[in-house]
Amino acid sequence: MGRDGKNTRPPAAPKDDSDALFDAWYSSYPRKEAKGAARKAFKAALKKTDIETLHRGLTAYKASVQGKEKTYIALPGSWLNAERWEDDYTDNQEGADPWAALRASSTQN
């Protein structure tokens, strides 16, 4: 407090557009941890791609991890740093058996 008894905390810095975009993106991410690292990675990701691409990638990723334990869901900063918005999640459908094709081919021999 200042000498006059009033709170003299400096005003908060205004948020730029990337902060608002990050808040919206992060709110829909399925694992809420390491937000500071995620914010930094998000700003770096926006230099490589656009927000629509990040949203599409996140939507596909969320569908691929639905029902999984939290420990098997990437931290948001790690997901962004690895540019996983470019990953193909179509083979990662819930309930899909990744070994089915291998078993089928081994039984035919």
Side-chain angles (χ1 to χ4, degrees), residues 10-31:
K15 286 187 168 187
D16 63 21
D17 287 343
S18 66
D19 285 334
L21 292 173
F22 170 77
D23 290 341
W25 183 88
Y26 185 81
S27 71
S28 65
Y29 197 84
R31 186 172 179 184

Side-chain angles (χ1 to χ4, degrees), residues 91-104:
D91 292 337
N92 297 335
Q93 299 296 324
E94 182 67 29
D97 183 357
W99 300 104
L102 181 61
R103 281 195 303 271

